[in-house]
Coordinates of all heavy atoms in Angstrom, one line a residue:
E129 N -14.6 5.1 78.6 CA -14.4 3.6 78.5 C -12.9 3.3 78.3 O -12.4 2.3 78.8 CB -15.2 3.0 77.4 CG -16.7 3.0 77.8 CD -17.6 2.5 76.7 OE1 -17.1 1.6 75.9 OE2 -18.8 2.9 76.7
V130 N -12.2 4.2 77.6 CA -10.7 4.0 77.4 C -10.0 4.1 78.8 O -9.1 3.3 79.0 CB -10.2 5.1 76.4 CG1 -8.6 5.0 76.4 CG2 -10.7 4.8 75.0
V136 N -7.9 -1.4 83.8 CA -7.9 -2.9 83.8 C -6.5 -3.3 83.4 O -5.9 -4.3 83.9 CB -8.9 -3.5 82.8 CG1 -8.7 -4.9 82.5 CG2 -10.3 -3.3 83.5
E145 N 4.0 -4.0 78.3 CA 3.9 -5.3 77.7 C 2.4 -5.7 77.4 O 2.1 -6.5 76.5 CB 4.4 -6.4 78.6 CG 5.9 -6.4 78.7 CD 6.4 -7.6 79.6 OE1 5.7 -8.7 79.6 OE2 7.4 -7.5 80.2
F150 N -4.2 -15.0 77.7 CA -4.9 -16.0 78.6 C -5.9 -15.3 79.4 O -7.0 -15.8 79.7 CB -3.9 -16.7 79.5 CG -4.5 -17.7 80.4 CD1 -4.9 -19.0 80.0 CD2 -4.8 -17.4 81.7 CE1 -5.5 -19.9 80.9 CE2 -5.3 -18.3 82.6 CZ -5.7 -19.6 82.2
D151 N -5.7 -14.0 79.8 CA -6.5 -13.2 80.6 C -7.5 -12.3 79.8 O -8.2 -11.5 80.4 CB -5.7 -12.3 81.5 CG -4.9 -13.1 82.5 OD1 -5.4 -14.1 83.0 OD2 -3.7 -12.7 82.8
A155 N -10.3 -9.8 81.4 CA -10.3 -8.3 81.2 C -11.6 -7.8 80.6 O -12.1 -6.8 81.1 CB -9.1 -8.0 80.2
L165 N -16.8 -18.3 75.7 CA -15.4 -18.9 75.6 C -15.0 -18.9 74.1 O -13.9 -18.6 73.8 CB -15.4 -20.2 76.2 CG -15.6 -20.3 77.7 CD1 -15.6 -21.7 78.2 CD2 -14.6 -19.4 78.5
L167 N -16.0 -16.9 71.7 CA -15.7 -15.6 71.2 C -14.3 -15.1 71.7 O -13.6 -14.5 71.0 CB -16.8 -14.6 71.7 CG -16.6 -13.2 71.2 CD1 -16.7 -13.1 69.7 CD2 -17.8 -12.3 71.8
M171 N -11.3 -14.0 69.3 CA -10.7 -12.7 69.4 C -9.2 -12.7 69.8 O -8.6 -11.7 69.9 CB -11.4 -11.8 70.5 CG -12.8 -11.5 70.1 SD -12.8 -10.4 68.7 CE -14.5 -10.6 68.2
G173 N -7.8 -14.9 72.4 CA -7.5 -15.4 73.8 C -6.8 -16.8 73.6 O -7.0 -17.5 72.6
I190 N -10.9 -5.1 70.0 CA -11.5 -6.3 70.5 C -12.6 -5.9 71.5 O -13.7 -6.4 71.3 CB -10.4 -7.2 71.2 CG1 -9.4 -7.7 70.3 CG2 -11.1 -8.3 72.0 CD1 -8.2 -8.4 70.9
E197 N -21.4 -7.3 70.3 CA -22.0 -8.7 70.2 C -23.4 -8.8 70.7 O -23.7 -8.3 71.8 CB -21.1 -9.7 70.9 CG -19.9 -10.2 70.1 CD -20.3 -11.0 68.9 OE1 -21.1 -11.9 69.0 OE2 -19.6 -10.8 67.9
K198 N -24.2 -9.5 70.0 CA -25.6 -9.7 70.4 C -25.8 -11.1 71.1 O -26.9 -11.4 71.5 CB -26.5 -9.6 69.2 CG -26.4 -8.3 68.5 CD -26.9 -7.2 69.4 CE -26.9 -5.8 68.6 NZ -26.6 -4.7 69.4
E199 N -24.8 -11.9 71.1 CA -24.9 -13.3 71.7 C -24.9 -13.3 73.2 O -24.8 -14.4 73.7 CB -23.8 -14.1 71.1 CG -23.9 -14.4 69.6 CD -25.0 -15.4 69.3 OE1 -25.1 -16.4 70.0 OE2 -25.7 -15.1 68.4
C202 N -29.1 -11.5 78.9 CA -29.3 -10.5 79.9 C -30.2 -11.1 81.0 O -30.7 -12.2 80.9 CB -29.9 -9.3 79.3 SG -31.6 -9.5 78.7
Y203 N -30.4 -10.3 82.1 CA -31.2 -10.8 83.2 C -32.5 -11.4 82.8 O -32.9 -12.4 83.2 CB -31.4 -9.6 84.2 CG -32.3 -9.9 85.3 CD1 -31.9 -10.6 86.4 CD2 -33.6 -9.4 85.3 CE1 -32.7 -10.8 87.5 CE2 -34.5 -9.6 86.4 CZ -34.0 -10.4 87.5 OH -34.9 -10.6 88.5
E204 N -33.3 -10.6 81.9 CA -34.6 -11.1 81.5 C -34.5 -12.4 80.8 O -35.4 -13.2 80.9 CB -35.3 -10.0 80.7 CG -35.7 -8.7 81.4 CD -34.5 -7.8 81.8 OE1 -33.4 -7.9 81.2 OE2 -34.7 -6.9 82.6
F206 N -32.3 -14.8 81.2 CA -32.0 -15.8 82.1 C -33.2 -16.2 83.0 O -33.5 -17.3 83.3 CB -30.8 -15.5 83.0 CG -29.5 -15.3 82.3 CD1 -28.7 -14.2 82.5 CD2 -29.1 -16.3 81.3 CE1 -27.5 -14.1 81.8 CE2 -27.9 -16.1 80.6 CZ -27.1 -15.0 80.9
K215 N -41.6 -25.4 88.5 CA -42.7 -26.3 88.3 C -44.0 -25.8 89.1 O -45.1 -26.0 88.6 CB -42.4 -27.7 88.8 CG -41.2 -28.2 88.0 CD -41.0 -29.7 88.1 CE -39.9 -30.3 87.3 NZ -38.8 -29.5 86.9
G219 N -41.6 -18.8 91.5 CA -40.3 -18.1 91.6 C -39.2 -18.9 92.2 O -38.1 -18.4 92.5
L222 N -35.5 -26.2 92.0 CA -34.6 -27.0 92.8 C -33.1 -26.6 92.6 O -32.7 -26.3 91.4 CB -34.7 -28.5 92.3 CG -35.9 -29.3 92.8 CD1 -36.0 -30.6 92.1 CD2 -35.8 -29.5 94.3
E225 N -31.3 -28.8 90.2 CA -31.5 -28.6 88.8 C -30.7 -27.4 88.2 O -30.1 -27.5 87.1 CB -33.0 -28.3 88.5 CG -33.9 -29.5 88.6 CD -35.3 -29.3 88.3 OE1 -35.8 -28.2 88.6 OE2 -36.0 -30.2 87.7
A229 N -27.7 -27.7 85.4 CA -27.7 -26.9 84.2 C -26.4 -26.2 84.1 O -25.8 -26.1 83.0 CB -28.8 -25.9 84.3
L245 N -19.8 -19.5 92.7 CA -21.0 -18.7 92.2 C -22.1 -18.8 93.3 O -22.7 -17.8 93.6 CB -21.5 -19.3 90.9 CG -22.6 -18.6 90.2 CD1 -22.3 -17.1 89.9 CD2 -23.0 -19.3 89.0
F264 N -31.0 -14.7 92.9 CA -29.7 -15.3 92.4 C -29.2 -14.6 91.1 O -28.1 -14.2 91.0 CB -29.8 -16.8 92.3 CG -28.7 -17.4 91.4 CD1 -27.5 -17.6 92.0 CD2 -29.0 -17.9 90.2 CE1 -26.4 -18.2 91.3 CE2 -27.9 -18.5 89.4 CZ -26.7 -18.6 90.0
L265 N -30.2 -14.5 90.2 CA -29.8 -13.9 88.9 C -29.6 -12.4 89.1 O -28.7 -11.9 88.4 CB -30.9 -14.1 87.9 CG -31.0 -15.5 87.3 CD1 -32.3 -15.7 86.4 CD2 -29.8 -16.0 86.6
C269 N -26.1 -11.0 87.8 CA -26.1 -10.0 86.7 C -25.9 -8.6 87.2 O -26.0 -7.7 86.4 CB -27.4 -10.1 85.9 SG -27.7 -11.7 85.1

Side-chain angles (χ1 to χ4, degrees):
E129 291 179 24
V130 171
V136 167
E145 289 185 31
F150 178 82
D151 296 322
L165 298 176
L167 182 61
M171 294 293 163
I190 293 170
E197 276 292 317
K198 301 294 182 213
E199 291 289 315
C202 64
Y203 173 78
E204 290 78 13
F206 296 133
K215 299 192 180 27
L222 282 170
E225 286 182 327
L245 182 62
F264 165 73
L265 288 175
C269 297

